[in-house]
Amino acid sequence: MTEHLVLKNGVVFDPMNDVDGEVMDICVSNGKIVEKVPGNAKVIDLKGSTVMAGGVDPHSHILGSKLNVARLTSPEVNRYHPYPATRKTRSGVAGIIPSSYATGYLYSAMGYTTVVEPALPATKALGAWEEIEDIPGLDIGMLPLFCNSMISFKYIEEGDISGLAAYIAWTLKKVGGLGVKVVNPGGTYAWAYGKNVCGLDDEVPEWDVTPRTIMTGLSDAVQKLGLPHQMHFHPTNLGKPGNVYTTMQQLDALKGTKPSGKKKETVHLTHMAFDCLGVVEEGMANWKDVASGGLTFADYYNKNKHFTTDLGQITFGQSMTMTGDGPFQHSLYLMTGGKAKWSNIPVDVELPGGAGIVPFTFEPKSSANAVQWVGSLEFALSVKDLWRLFLSTDHPNGGPFMKYPLLMSWLMSKKQRDLWLEKVHKFASERSTLAEIEREYTLNDIAITTRAAPAKILGVEKTKGHLGIGADADIAVYGFNPEKTDLAKNPDLILKYFTQTKFTFKGGQQISKKGVIAKQLPSRVISVHPELNEDLSRRIDRELEEMMSKWFSHSFSNYPVPKRYREHLEMPTVIDATSIQA
Amino acid sequence: MTEANNIFKDVPCTFCGCLCDDLIIEVDGDRIVKNTNGCPISKERFVGHTENRCLQPTVNGNTVTLEKAVERAVELIASSKRPLIYGLSSTENDAQREAYRLAELARGVVDNTTSVCHGPTILGAQESGEAAASLAEVRHRSDLVIYWGANPAAAHPRHIPHYIRQPGEYIKDPKQDRKIWLVDIRATTTARMADRFIRIEPGTDLEVLQTLRALIRGNKLDATEVGGINITELEEIAAAMKSAKYGTLFFGLGLTQSWGRHRNIDAAIRLIQDLNAHTKWGMMPMRGHYNVSGANKTSTWVTGYPYAVDFARGYPRFQPGEYTAVDMLARGEADVLLNIAADPVAHFPRAAVSHLMKIPVINIDPKINMTSQVAEVNIPAAIAGIECDGAATRMDGLPLYLRKIIEPPQGVIPDRDILRMMIKSLEKVMK
Amino acid sequence: MNNGSVKVLVTSGRTLSQGRAMEKGKMTSDYENAVAVCELDSTAMESLGIKNGETVVVKSDIGEIAVKAKLNKQLVPGIAFIPCGPYFNFLLDSYTQHTGMPGFKSLTVSIDAAPGAKILTVEELTKMIKEAT
């Protein structure tokens, strides 16, 4: 059925097309934004409303085994947050780790339409595809982990970047991945031996690889393949005071990777709030001396253009930490005096040490938490180029995605920041410059950092993150008139309007209205299928069959996710990687 | 899977939580004639798949059409005040997902067989988390494997020969470089396969586990023996656990069903967590039904909770001891039971079974079982992994795709399709 | 020789033949043969004055049932074993300590020799429970 729609008179913020608060009409036909529609198109008058492209979230843990272990081990975080069924929608729970249906509905209500799960153990991808069936209303991508896999190590050890690239290509095709995730390269593997790594050139047990060779090898392979999304990188030393310096060292180490296409950025540093802790002058790298690393890192960011980043903002209150960084999670558990519930999930061959899960509460009155909170805000308010940045809480690590409006309020309103600086430990003021920063994000800045920039960073900007002709008709309509509403002076309104859109459209269909789900649409999956030349393809099939048969405990032929789970959901982008020599 | 001349390779076995996926299944016409690589139970499951089948839907013992049987089932559910949906561990994930939809629609309770197997394991993990293990990693790295209250020789026949007594990347000689210990109250068949058997007194698991924790922390205990084991032997065990390079604890129902229940598991979890301050240890429940792990997983993502879920208020609530099947029945609370791929009449204690016999029962199963004998409505189902495809989860969380090898008997459809029919019909009634 | 009762702690669990019979089908004689069994140690057998394969009656607080005695030399005195299934469960109370889990592993029973006593088939057992309700 052909559906035509005109959204009239909305105040549009579409930074990818240089539209900054203009009143204009948007025409939608068959799920796409088009130039014009036939006269019988349905018309919705959006006079006095704010219109943006659907939100794009490239880093949110919305599915997979670690999330389900968290749900299973911590029913108490969802117990008081029921999400009742309606005639059109399914029930669930909506605490900090909502159940699958609620996850889709809550994102739709906030105006987000594209979300990426950034840590997929490829071996377990079948389960992820099944789960996506029950997460409605989104376009979903997944980033398989390659950083602690014995197979990656074998290619890196041999300096065989073609082989590594072919392994990545094979995996993305067989399981439907969108890009490459790297988490504590070598460190999680070392965790299988009860160890970790911290320096770039530390040894990794049993293998002739180092964090440096792993991360540079993988970023070279990503560029060699020409993947739309650069290597998605969680560095070593996560959550350690003073790690802003080692993070900058690691980013320096990655400068050698040559961009293969037009895109200059070759690495995406994720959840910088956890990667960029500073120390006070002449202080030691410990929690007593921790200081904001925001300004230091902003300075580095302004000078070095080879990377993008996201905030991983902590939002205070209950959260659920979950990372593919097993040794970090264990150290967090030890920090609680062994009181916290610590879970660890090793994955055959791909993640021997294992991902970890620890429930954690960020306390406003904790000096360490206050400093971590202020660091990423200071950074976000000190950088020049917002096109290399997106907003995130690393859901549910820094807090649930439902707190994005709170994060927006801190960035958009100095008044809000001053209120919160009063509430939190004094180190937030004393060990950062946040109190002196006057900058307030405009709606255009918000549109950049929640739609346009993340779409570009993911490499999906052709159809996502904007409202130009040819874009998917994923549209968020917010119920306030930007010309008449002073959000900066009224931060509560930011929370109100950004928590629930007036309307959310997904592929041209209205899926929610004032937070109420009007229509349950099945999600789709965005993936990348790199095509290799025949020689390389034959070689990788042979080598992977040999390695996987030897190393996995299940059969090689049972590794790929069968079509039956994919073909009705997947929208693969085929890319040409045939120039890579075998 | 590869398929040639009616020979199917790399077929996952759908008996226990090992989900061994190296079976070679040979088909002749509409029958499976050979299962190579499977354990004796697996062979029985595949080669004996046509035996004892329920082939026709029945209501009160009379053969009816599938539509009629579904209609009666829906009438019973629609007119009940407190429906209970139970089972789900010996079927594939899609059927489970449909069961949650049905429970939500009927505002009933949905529980899976976890409540009578590793339910306490989940409760223990809700206290303390869990440092898990995975099967290939155990093979590659584990130099000390302890089975505690588990009898894989009987319940998971290939667990030891297929996964554990095998060489790995860093354990070249599985007999020399990897030691297998068994802790149990009786010397089971597994004891013969183990390098060491440690007998403990019944009901003392908690004390023994806590003693080991204390010893590993370096505390001296004022006791000469605990759980029937001499304290010097316990000290030696603690020292060996601490000096293993990569230890793995597999635990079974001897720990979950005995005195202490989830407290035993909590103590085991804390023991493994403590050991990680010194060396590397992981643990894994020996899951029984082939897809009971999948039932926990699907229930968790759809409802937020792994089992014992009540939809009476229109949203999921979790309360083991209250919404668990045995309690729901023994208290006389459930007024209709929809049983899918389980046999509560055979496996529940008597008071629960007695109540079950007083209420209408709808039974969906491929085979005639004890519950079929008392069910008002019986609906035959295709056997997942043999007669229909689907996905299941191995005991370490690995998902695997199950195969359709042959056609189900005439007119027999998968659990998920039966449940979809019931949902469609119930949706109309509830409008 | 003492023909009085023997008090033991009986535990239940899986056996290979129980698993095989269950997969084949519960309404087969294989299944009954696999689960209507009580494994006893040699002292219990002696004290009951029975031989391998003879019938015993196992009595708990809530009921009693006849099963076939089977010598298990690996068992220590004081412990008996009945494979998980309807015969064991007939003796078991449904109290779960509010966990959902009944006490499948620890049931105190007394055992008497009952040579020649009839062992109910699975169907007869079902019928008996049904009639009692």
Side-chain angles (χ1 to χ4, degrees):
Chain A
M1 194 180 73
T2 311
E3 281 186 19
H4 308 291
L5 181 67
V6 190
L7 303 178
K8 272 188 136 30
N9 301 324
V11 186
V12 176
F13 294 84
D14 182 15
M16 223 187 280
N17 296 302
D18 294 318
V19 177
D20 182 2
E22 290 172 37
V23 174
M24 54 193 281
D25 298 346
I26 295 169
C27 296
V28 173
S29 201
N30 290 327
K32 292 277 184 185
I33 293 175
V34 294
E35 194 149 6
K36 56 182 179 191
V37 286
N40 63 354
K42 186 178 168 193
V43 177
I44 300 178
D45 189 4
L46 298 178
K47 190 162 186 249
S49 297
T50 300
V51 179
M52 295 185 189
V56 176
D57 187 352
H59 195 105
S60 175
H61 299 283
I62 55 165
L63 57 85
S65 57
K66 76 268 171 215
L67 182 59
N68 282 314
V69 167
R71 288 168 175 150
L72 180 143
T73 52
S74 295
E76 69 279 5
V77 304
N78 281 325
R79 188 179 183 90
Y80 299 106
H81 304 276
Y83 195 96
T86 69
R87 290 180 72 154
K88 286 179 182 158
T89 58
R90 298 287 300 271
S91 68
V93 291
I96 55 161
I97 38 175
S99 54
S100 58
Y101 283 95
T103 298
Y105 302 146
L106 290 164
Y107 262 117
S108 298
M110 280 189 351
Y112 273 73
T113 49
T114 302
V115 181
V116 172
E117 163 55 58
L120 175 76
T123 319
K124 292 186 174 175
L126 169 56
W129 282 87
E130 292 180 270
E131 200 169 345
I132 288 172
E133 292 270 4
D134 294 333
I135 308 173
L138 299 172
D139 283 337
I140 294 174
M142 296 178 280
L143 305 178
L145 295 150
F146 290 95
C147 41
N148 289 284
S149 158
M150 289 161 67
I151 300 168
S152 298
F153 289 2
K154 190 231 160 212
Y155 287 116
I156 291 162
E157 192 172 70
E158 290 167 359
D160 180 0
I161 301 303
S162 291
L164 184 63
Y167 164 47
I168 292 168
W170 186 93
T171 306
L172 295 182
K173 277 175 83 167
K174 298 293 182 190
V175 309
L178 182 65
V180 171
K181 177 71 179 298
V182 171
V183 176
N184 189 4
T188 307
Y189 184 88
W191 180 232
Y193 298 77
K195 296 176 183 160
N196 196 358
V197 297
C198 53
L200 269 166
D201 300 308
D202 281 7
E203 279 178 22
V204 174
E206 308 282 0
W207 295 87
D208 188 14
V209 296
T210 62
R212 183 195 303 276
T213 61
I214 300 167
M215 68 176 82
T216 56
L218 284 163
S219 77
D220 288 349
V222 168
Q223 293 305 318
K224 205 161 177 170
L225 284 165
L227 298 184
H229 181 43
Q230 59 269 32
M231 180 177 84
H232 200 105
F233 182 53
H234 158 143
T236 58
N237 297 322
L238 191 91
K240 287 186 194 159
N243 64 359
V244 64
Y245 301 104
T246 60
T247 293
M248 293 187 297
Q249 276 170 12
Q250 292 172 68
L251 288 171
D252 279 343
L254 287 162
K255 279 182 179 165
T257 298
K258 295 279 168 290
S260 65
K262 274 185 256 163
K263 197 177 188 177
K264 286 193 216 72
E265 299 87 7
T266 53
V267 53
H268 176 76
L269 178 82
T270 193
H271 43 63
M272 58 75 57
F274 289 85
D275 320 331
C276 297
L277 297 164
V279 288
V280 294
E281 243 176 275
E282 292 180 20
M284 305 288 281
N286 60 34
W287 284 108
K288 194 165 66 65
D289 289 347
V290 71
S292 166
L295 222 47
T296 310
F297 194 61
D299 184 49
Y300 182 84
Y301 175 97
N302 289 335
K303 287 178 184 150
N304 295 278
K305 312 275 166 84
H306 68 297
F307 73 99
T308 56
T309 194
D310 65 90
L311 294 184
Q313 180 66 42
I314 68 164
T315 54
F316 295 117
Q318 175 78 58
S319 82
M320 187 65 65
T321 66
M322 54 179 70
T323 69
D325 193 340
F328 160 73
Q329 298 291 157
H330 184 250
S331 68
L332 195 61
Y333 156 74
L334 292 181
M335 262 173 62
T336 69
K339 289 195 189 87
K341 303 185 209 186
W342 168 56
S343 299
N344 191 74
I345 326 168
V347 181
D348 288 353
V349 183
E350 289 170 357
L351 203 61
I357 299 136
V358 178
F360 197 84
T361 301
F362 290 99
E363 300 285 357
K365 292 295 176 196
S366 146
S367 57
N369 297 165
V371 168
Q372 188 177 346
W373 170 77
V374 82
S376 40
L377 293 177
E378 186 182 42
F379 169 79
L381 292 162
S382 306
V383 294
K384 289 177 191 150
D385 179 9
L386 293 183
W387 287 91
R388 287 162 47 215
L389 172 68
F390 67 83
L391 308 190
S392 72
T393 60
D394 187 12
H395 165 81
N397 283 281
F401 64 83
M402 294 88 91
K403 285 197 177 176
Y404 286 173
L406 178 62
L407 167 55
M408 291 176 197
S409 76
W410 289 326
L411 296 172
M412 293 176 80
S413 164
K414 167 128 178 58
K415 182 180 168 190
Q416 178 80 324
R417 292 198 291 272
D418 289 343
L419 279 170
W420 277 77
L421 280 171
E422 290 290 308
K423 288 191 211 177
V424 305
H425 191 277
K426 61 181 180 178
F427 278 9
S429 306
E430 290 174 5
R431 295 185 178 184
S432 83
T433 60
L434 191 75
E436 294 126 54
I437 298 178
E438 297 292 329
R439 183 177 180 183
E440 288 174 334
Y441 272 31
T442 62
L443 284 167
N444 197 56
D445 293 342
I446 290 295
I448 293 172
T449 51
T450 57
R451 281 106 170 119
K456 280 201 158 173
I457 290 168
L458 276 179
V460 297
E461 71 274 18
K462 207 173 145 203
T463 51
K464 302 289 181 195
H466 72 104
L467 296 169
I469 310 298
D472 289 347
D474 299 348
I475 303 162
V477 179
Y478 297 101
F480 63 93
N481 185 341
E483 285 145 9
K484 294 186 179 158
T485 317
D486 189 344
L487 294 172
K489 292 256 155 52
N490 298 284
D492 287 350
L493 294 181
I494 301 174
L495 302 189
K496 180 183 164 192
Y497 291 125
F498 282 96
T499 299
Q500 282 183 1
T501 60
K502 187 171 177 184
F503 301 110
T504 301
F505 296 90
K506 172 77 177 46
Q509 304 200 56
Q510 187 192 311
I511 55 172
S512 84
K513 184 178 178 179
K514 291 184 180 162
V516 178
I517 300 303
K519 184 165 193 170
Q520 183 174 303
L521 281 187
S523 282
R524 302 186 300 179
V525 175
I526 47 177
S527 66
V528 170
H529 290 192
E531 285 301 334
L532 303 174
N533 65 42
E534 263 181 50
D535 288 347
L536 185 55
S537 189
R538 258 200 306 273
R539 180 188 142 201
I540 199 66
D541 284 349
R542 190 183 65 241
E543 290 178 3
L544 287 180
E545 177 157 15
E546 191 185 312
M547 275 185 274
M548 289 183 166
S549 303
K550 183 170 65 160
W551 284 337
F552 278 104
S553 53
H554 62 300
S555 302
F556 176 69
S557 65
N558 287 332
Y559 189 100
V561 178
K563 265 200 192 128
R564 112 67 150 154
Y565 291 90
R566 294 171 60 172
E567 55 192 0
H568 58 298
L569 303 177
E570 189 170 11
M571 301 183 298
T573 302
V574 177
I575 60 168
D576 180 5
T578 52
S579 62
I580 305 175
Q581 294 305 307
Chain B
M1 180 195 64
T2 46
E3 174 190 347
N5 303 324
N6 296 327
I7 296 179
F8 296 77
K9 288 184 178 160
D10 300 339
V11 173
C13 173
T14 49
F15 170 63
C16 79
C18 290
L19 280 181
C20 303
D21 72 332
D22 61 341
L23 306 190
I24 303 167
I25 302 295
E26 287 176 45
V27 173
D28 183 9
D30 59 353
R31 286 192 70 108
I32 290 171
V33 290
K34 197 171 174 199
N35 168 347
T36 310
N37 289 340
C39 68
I41 304 177
S42 171
K43 287 187 195 315
E44 202 68 71
R45 180 172 177 84
F46 279 82
V47 180
H49 73 104
T50 57
E51 291 189 46
N52 246 277
R53 291 298 290 264
C54 172
L55 292 170
Q56 301 284 348
T58 57
V59 173
N60 291 319
N62 303 312
T63 301
V64 296
T65 61
L66 178 59
E67 289 70 22
K68 280 275 172 213
V70 166
E71 189 187 310
R72 180 61 188 147
V74 169
E75 264 172 33
L76 290 170
I77 292 171
S79 60
S80 78
K81 286 198 173 73
R82 198 76 175 124
L84 168 64
I85 301 178
Y86 175 74
L88 300 170
S89 305
S90 285
T91 187
E92 49 82 40
N93 291 349
D94 287 345
Q96 296 162 358
R97 291 167 55 234
E98 298 300 339
Y100 312 138
R101 169 73 185 130
L102 187 63
E104 179 184 81
L105 207 56
R107 296 209 161 194
V109 168
V110 60
D111 188 26
N112 54 63
T113 65
T114 297
S115 59
V116 291
C117 64
H118 277 282
T121 299
I122 291 173
L123 300 183
Q126 290 179 347
E127 290 292 319
S128 296
E130 187 175 7
S134 73
L135 285 171
E137 284 309 299
V138 175
R139 174 165 65 86
H140 292 315
R141 299 169 206 279
S142 199
D143 54 346
L144 178 57
V145 169
I146 299 179
Y147 289 91
W148 193 307
N151 186 9
H156 306 81
R158 291 183 80 209
H159 197 268
I160 293 178
H162 183 54
Y163 292 108
I164 307 303
R165 264 303 184 224
Q166 287 287 335
E169 191 62 19
Y170 305 110
I171 300 280
K172 295 296 178 197
D173 180 345
K175 191 78 192 158
Q176 277 306 312
D177 304 342
R178 167 157 43 236
K179 292 299 165 202
I180 300 177
W181 294 1
L182 172 69
V183 180
D184 207 331
I185 60 167
R186 61 193 180 103
T188 57
T189 333
T190 303
R192 279 182 243 148
M193 305 164 84
D195 299 304
R196 178 179 187 179
F197 171 58
I198 300 161
R199 187 197 313 278
I200 65 168
E201 292 292 330
T204 63
D205 303 81
L206 184 61
E207 286 116 285
V208 175
L209 288 164
Q210 296 289 34
T211 302
L212 288 171
R213 286 188 71 194
L215 295 171
I216 282 159
R217 288 171 174 232
N219 297 326
K220 282 273 169 218
L221 293 184
D222 184 18
T224 51
E225 63 158 63
V226 178
I229 313 171
N230 189 290
I231 197 78
T232 31
E233 189 180 354
L234 283 164
E235 281 166 357
E236 176 257 315
I237 292 167
M241 289 178 85
K242 222 165 148 173
S243 62
K245 283 197 194 111
Y246 189 118
T248 310
L249 174 70
F250 291 105
F251 59 102
L253 304 189
L255 214 49
T256 66
Q257 294 182 333
S258 59
W259 179 250
R261 311 283 203 282
H262 57 291
R263 294 290 163 205
N264 298 339
I265 308 300
D266 187 11
I269 291 170
R270 290 292 176 182
L271 169 66
I272 298 304
Q273 288 174 336
D274 289 356
L275 281 162
N276 274 281
H278 306 281
T279 180
K280 190 73 183 169
W281 271 81
M283 63 198 294
M284 195 186 304
M286 298 288 286
R287 302 310 301 261
H289 292 291
Y290 76 87
N291 199 24
V292 64
S293 300
N296 296 144
K297 199 164 87 171
T298 53
S299 180
T300 299
W301 85 56
V302 174
T303 74
Y305 307 116
Y307 67 107
V309 179
D310 179 22
F311 285 99
R313 292 189 186 165
Y315 54 82
R317 290 182 301 160
F318 169 66
Q319 191 62 62
E322 192 172 354
Y323 313 139
T324 29
V326 168
D327 302 275
M328 284 279 294
L329 292 168
R331 265 200 321 271
E333 189 171 318
D335 61 355
V336 64
L337 169 70
L338 168 59
N339 175 58
I340 304 151
D343 195 1
V345 173
H347 292 134
F348 280 1
R350 197 164 96 205
V353 174
S354 295
H355 179 70
L356 184 162
M357 288 176 170
K358 289 182 207 151
I359 61 173
V361 174
I362 304 148
N363 190 43
I364 304 178
D365 204 274
K367 297 217 170 187
I368 298 166
N369 59 21
M370 289 184 69
T371 306
S372 343
Q373 303 295 102
V374 304
E376 177 176 334
V377 181
N378 274 299
I379 303 177
I383 304 176
I386 296 179
E387 297 165 352
C388 76
D389 74 346
T393 307
R394 202 169 69 179
M395 59 167 70
D396 61 352
L398 180 84
L400 280 168
Y401 178 57
L402 310 177
R403 297 307 133 63
K404 177 175 179 174
I405 312 267
I406 51 171
E407 288 298 324
Q410 184 74 33
V412 173
I413 61 175
D415 292 308
R416 56 179 177 247
D417 292 330
I418 299 166
L419 291 167
R420 281 171 191 150
M421 285 174 75
M422 291 174 68
I423 289 165
K424 222 171 154 187
S425 168
L426 191 61
E427 273 171 345
K428 281 188 205 139
V429 179
M430 304 301 274
K431 259 180 192 170
Chain C
M1 190 156 129
N2 170 3
N3 288 335
S5 343
V6 168
K7 268 201 171 251
V8 291
L9 184 80
V10 63
T11 181
S12 77
R14 301 286 310 278
T15 68
L16 196 62
S17 53
Q18 172 264 344
R20 292 180 64 175
M22 181 171 69
E23 281 306 315
K24 193 171 175 191
K26 292 221 181 64
M27 310 317 287
T28 57
S29 56
D30 288 18
Y31 183 65
E32 183 192 314
N33 292 338
V35 296
V37 169
C38 180
E39 294 181 14
L40 294 163
D41 75 295
S42 50
T43 59
M45 298 282 282
E46 268 170 41
S47 148
L48 290 167
I50 55 164
K51 289 198 198 74
N52 209 6
E54 285 187 325
T55 305
V56 290
V57 167
V58 185
K59 205 182 288 180
S60 75
D61 285 347
I62 68 161
E64 59 179 76
I65 197 150
V67 291
K68 198 192 289 179
K70 187 177 165 191
L71 175 66
N72 180 341
K73 287 181 184 160
Q74 301 299 324
L75 285 175
V76 293
I79 297 182
F81 173 82
I82 301 179
C84 61
Y87 297 85
F88 177 84
N89 291 337
F90 185 77
L91 303 170
L92 182 65
D93 67 278
S94 295
Y95 179 52
T96 72
Q97 302 179 352
H98 311 285
T99 65
M101 176 68 81
F104 290 111
K105 294 293 178 192
S106 41
L107 183 63
T108 308
V109 298
S110 64
I111 298 178
D112 288 286
K118 179 170 164 42
I119 297 173
L120 298 176
T121 65
V122 170
E123 263 172 306
E124 287 165 347
L125 175 60
T126 315
K127 213 173 142 202
M128 186 175 89
I129 302 173
K130 183 144 193 154
E131 277 164 8
T133 61

